[in-house]
PDB file of all heavy atoms in Angstrom:
ATOM      1  N   ALA A  10     -16.999   7.708  -8.284  1.00 31.00           N
ATOM      2  CA  ALA A  10     -15.803   7.540  -9.117  1.00 31.00           C
ATOM      3  C   ALA A  10     -14.602   7.096  -8.287  1.00 31.00           C
ATOM      4  O   ALA A  10     -13.764   6.380  -8.793  1.00 31.00           O
ATOM      5  CB  ALA A  10     -15.494   8.851  -9.831  1.00 31.00           C
ATOM      6  N   CYS A  11     -14.499   7.536  -7.030  1.00 36.00           N
ATOM      7  CA  CYS A  11     -13.309   7.285  -6.255  1.00 36.00           C
ATOM      8  C   CYS A  11     -13.480   6.226  -5.173  1.00 36.00           C
ATOM      9  O   CYS A  11     -12.511   5.702  -4.670  1.00 36.00           O
ATOM     10  CB  CYS A  11     -12.833   8.583  -5.586  1.00 36.00           C
ATOM     11  SG  CYS A  11     -12.378   9.849  -6.762  1.00 36.00           S
ATOM     12  N   GLY A  12     -14.690   5.919  -4.789  1.00 35.00           N
ATOM     13  CA  GLY A  12     -14.898   5.022  -3.666  1.00 35.00           C
ATOM     14  C   GLY A  12     -15.104   3.593  -4.072  1.00 35.00           C
ATOM     15  O   GLY A  12     -15.294   3.272  -5.233  1.00 35.00           O
ATOM     16  N   GLY A  13     -15.052   2.712  -3.076  1.00 37.00           N
ATOM     17  CA  GLY A  13     -15.289   1.295  -3.340  1.00 37.00           C
ATOM     18  C   GLY A  13     -16.760   0.983  -3.285  1.00 37.00           C
ATOM     19  O   GLY A  13     -17.579   1.816  -2.952  1.00 37.00           O
ATOM     20  N   ASN A  14     -17.114  -0.262  -3.574  1.00 36.00           N
ATOM     21  CA  ASN A  14     -18.509  -0.671  -3.580  1.00 36.00           C
ATOM     22  C   ASN A  14     -18.951  -1.287  -2.272  1.00 36.00           C
ATOM     23  O   ASN A  14     -20.130  -1.412  -2.028  1.00 36.00           O
ATOM     24  CB  ASN A  14     -18.742  -1.693  -4.716  1.00 36.00           C
ATOM     25  CG  ASN A  14     -18.547  -1.052  -6.064  1.00 36.00           C
ATOM     26  OD1 ASN A  14     -18.826   0.119  -6.228  1.00 36.00           O
ATOM     27  ND2 ASN A  14     -18.071  -1.821  -7.022  1.00 36.00           N
ATOM     28  N   LYS A  15     -18.033  -1.718  -1.423  1.00 40.00           N
ATOM     29  CA  LYS A  15     -18.395  -2.368  -0.171  1.00 40.00           C
ATOM     30  C   LYS A  15     -18.693  -1.350   0.899  1.00 40.00           C
ATOM     31  O   LYS A  15     -18.072  -0.295   0.968  1.00 40.00           O
ATOM     32  CB  LYS A  15     -17.269  -3.282   0.317  1.00 40.00           C
ATOM     33  CG  LYS A  15     -17.058  -4.475  -0.555  1.00 40.00           C
ATOM     34  CD  LYS A  15     -16.032  -5.386   0.049  1.00 40.00           C
ATOM     35  CE  LYS A  15     -15.845  -6.595  -0.845  1.00 40.00           C
ATOM     36  NZ  LYS A  15     -14.838  -7.482  -0.338  1.00 40.00           N
ATOM     37  N   SER A  16     -19.613  -1.699   1.784  1.00 41.00           N
ATOM     38  CA  SER A  16     -19.886  -0.838   2.918  1.00 41.00           C
ATOM     39  C   SER A  16     -18.732  -0.954   3.917  1.00 41.00           C
ATOM     40  O   SER A  16     -17.986  -1.936   3.912  1.00 41.00           O
ATOM     41  CB  SER A  16     -21.187  -1.265   3.600  1.00 41.00           C
ATOM     42  OG  SER A  16     -21.007  -2.496   4.267  1.00 41.00           O
ATOM     43  N   GLN A  17     -18.603   0.036   4.774  1.00 45.00           N
ATOM     44  CA  GLN A  17     -17.554   0.027   5.788  1.00 45.00           C
ATOM     45  C   GLN A  17     -17.717  -1.191   6.700  1.00 45.00           C
ATOM     46  O   GLN A  17     -16.741  -1.841   7.059  1.00 45.00           O
ATOM     47  CB  GLN A  17     -17.611   1.316   6.611  1.00 45.00           C
ATOM     48  CG  GLN A  17     -16.512   1.449   7.639  1.00 45.00           C
ATOM     49  CD  GLN A  17     -15.146   1.585   7.017  1.00 45.00           C
ATOM     50  OE1 GLN A  17     -14.992   2.191   5.975  1.00 45.00           O
ATOM     51  NE2 GLN A  17     -14.139   1.015   7.642  1.00 45.00           N
ATOM     52  N   LYS A  18     -18.958  -1.549   7.025  1.00 55.00           N
ATOM     53  CA  LYS A  18     -19.238  -2.663   7.905  1.00 55.00           C
ATOM     54  C   LYS A  18     -18.745  -3.987   7.295  1.00 55.00           C
ATOM     55  O   LYS A  18     -18.129  -4.793   7.969  1.00 55.00           O
ATOM     56  CB  LYS A  18     -20.726  -2.736   8.183  1.00 55.00           C
ATOM     57  CG  LYS A  18     -21.116  -3.550   9.376  1.00 55.00           C
ATOM     58  CD  LYS A  18     -22.588  -3.411   9.643  1.00 55.00           C
ATOM     59  CE  LYS A  18     -22.894  -3.773  11.066  1.00 55.00           C
ATOM     60  NZ  LYS A  18     -24.279  -3.573  11.416  1.00 55.00           N
ATOM     61  N   GLU A  19     -19.014  -4.195   5.969  1.00 55.00           N
ATOM     62  CA  GLU A  19     -18.550  -5.408   5.300  1.00 55.00           C
ATOM     63  C   GLU A  19     -17.033  -5.488   5.288  1.00 55.00           C
ATOM     64  O   GLU A  19     -16.435  -6.524   5.564  1.00 55.00           O
ATOM     65  CB  GLU A  19     -19.039  -5.443   3.853  1.00 55.00           C
ATOM     66  CG  GLU A  19     -20.515  -5.687   3.694  1.00 55.00           C
ATOM     67  CD  GLU A  19     -20.907  -5.588   2.227  1.00 55.00           C
ATOM     68  OE1 GLU A  19     -20.246  -6.212   1.385  1.00 55.00           O
ATOM     69  OE2 GLU A  19     -21.871  -4.863   1.944  1.00 55.00           O
ATOM     70  N   GLY A  20     -16.374  -4.369   4.985  1.00 51.00           N
ATOM     71  CA  GLY A  20     -14.913  -4.328   4.937  1.00 51.00           C
ATOM     72  C   GLY A  20     -14.307  -4.600   6.298  1.00 51.00           C
ATOM     73  O   GLY A  20     -13.310  -5.315   6.420  1.00 51.00           O
ATOM     74  N   ASP A  21     -14.924  -4.049   7.358  1.00 57.00           N
ATOM     75  CA  ASP A  21     -14.422  -4.269   8.711  1.00 57.00           C
ATOM     76  C   ASP A  21     -14.528  -5.750   9.084  1.00 57.00           C
ATOM     77  O   ASP A  21     -13.607  -6.296   9.678  1.00 57.00           O
ATOM     78  CB  ASP A  21     -15.218  -3.416   9.717  1.00 57.00           C
ATOM     79  CG  ASP A  21     -14.899  -1.941   9.625  1.00 57.00           C
ATOM     80  OD1 ASP A  21     -13.905  -1.593   8.951  1.00 57.00           O
ATOM     81  OD2 ASP A  21     -15.657  -1.137  10.213  1.00 57.00           O
ATOM     82  N   ALA A  22     -15.629  -6.407   8.736  1.00 60.00           N
ATOM     83  CA  ALA A  22     -15.811  -7.816   9.064  1.00 60.00           C
ATOM     84  C   ALA A  22     -14.765  -8.674   8.366  1.00 60.00           C
ATOM     85  O   ALA A  22     -14.191  -9.572   8.961  1.00 60.00           O
ATOM     86  CB  ALA A  22     -17.228  -8.275   8.677  1.00 60.00           C
ATOM     87  N   GLU A  23     -14.492  -8.394   7.078  1.00 57.00           N
ATOM     88  CA  GLU A  23     -13.486  -9.150   6.338  1.00 57.00           C
ATOM     89  C   GLU A  23     -12.090  -8.929   6.932  1.00 57.00           C
ATOM     90  O   GLU A  23     -11.318  -9.858   7.074  1.00 57.00           O
ATOM     91  CB  GLU A  23     -13.490  -8.748   4.865  1.00 57.00           C
ATOM     92  CG  GLU A  23     -14.720  -9.204   4.121  1.00 57.00           C
ATOM     93  CD  GLU A  23     -14.757  -8.662   2.699  1.00 57.00           C
ATOM     94  OE1 GLU A  23     -13.815  -7.967   2.288  1.00 57.00           O
ATOM     95  OE2 GLU A  23     -15.746  -8.938   2.020  1.00 57.00           O
ATOM     96  N   GLY A  24     -11.765  -7.692   7.258  1.00 51.00           N
ATOM     97  CA  GLY A  24     -10.458  -7.376   7.847  1.00 51.00           C
ATOM     98  C   GLY A  24     -10.287  -8.040   9.204  1.00 51.00           C
ATOM     99  O   GLY A  24      -9.211  -8.537   9.522  1.00 51.00           O
ATOM    100  N   GLU A  25     -11.341  -8.087  10.009  1.00 58.00           N
ATOM    101  CA  GLU A  25     -11.282  -8.734  11.305  1.00 58.00           C
ATOM    102  C   GLU A  25     -11.041 -10.232  11.170  1.00 58.00           C
ATOM    103  O   GLU A  25     -10.284 -10.818  11.931  1.00 58.00           O
ATOM    104  CB  GLU A  25     -12.572  -8.465  12.101  1.00 58.00           C
ATOM    105  CG  GLU A  25     -12.650  -7.072  12.669  1.00 58.00           C
ATOM    106  CD  GLU A  25     -11.500  -6.736  13.599  1.00 58.00           C
ATOM    107  OE1 GLU A  25     -11.168  -7.535  14.495  1.00 58.00           O
ATOM    108  OE2 GLU A  25     -10.914  -5.667  13.404  1.00 58.00           O
ATOM    109  N   GLN A  26     -11.676 -10.865  10.183  1.00 57.00           N
ATOM    110  CA  GLN A  26     -11.479 -12.314   9.964  1.00 57.00           C
ATOM    111  C   GLN A  26     -10.015 -12.606   9.608  1.00 57.00           C
ATOM    112  O   GLN A  26      -9.420 -13.514  10.153  1.00 57.00           O
ATOM    113  CB  GLN A  26     -12.410 -12.811   8.845  1.00 57.00           C
ATOM    114  CG  GLN A  26     -12.324 -14.300   8.621  1.00 57.00           C
ATOM    115  CD  GLN A  26     -12.766 -15.107   9.827  1.00 57.00           C
ATOM    116  OE1 GLN A  26     -13.543 -14.664  10.669  1.00 57.00           O
ATOM    117  NE2 GLN A  26     -12.261 -16.317   9.931  1.00 57.00           N
TER     118      GLN A  26
END
Side-chain angles (χ1 to χ4, degrees):
C11 297
N14 294 328
K15 291 185 180 178
S16 71
Q17 184 66 35
K18 198 173 201 176
E19 289 175 49
D21 288 347
E23 290 174 2
E25 285 302 312
Q26 183 63 25

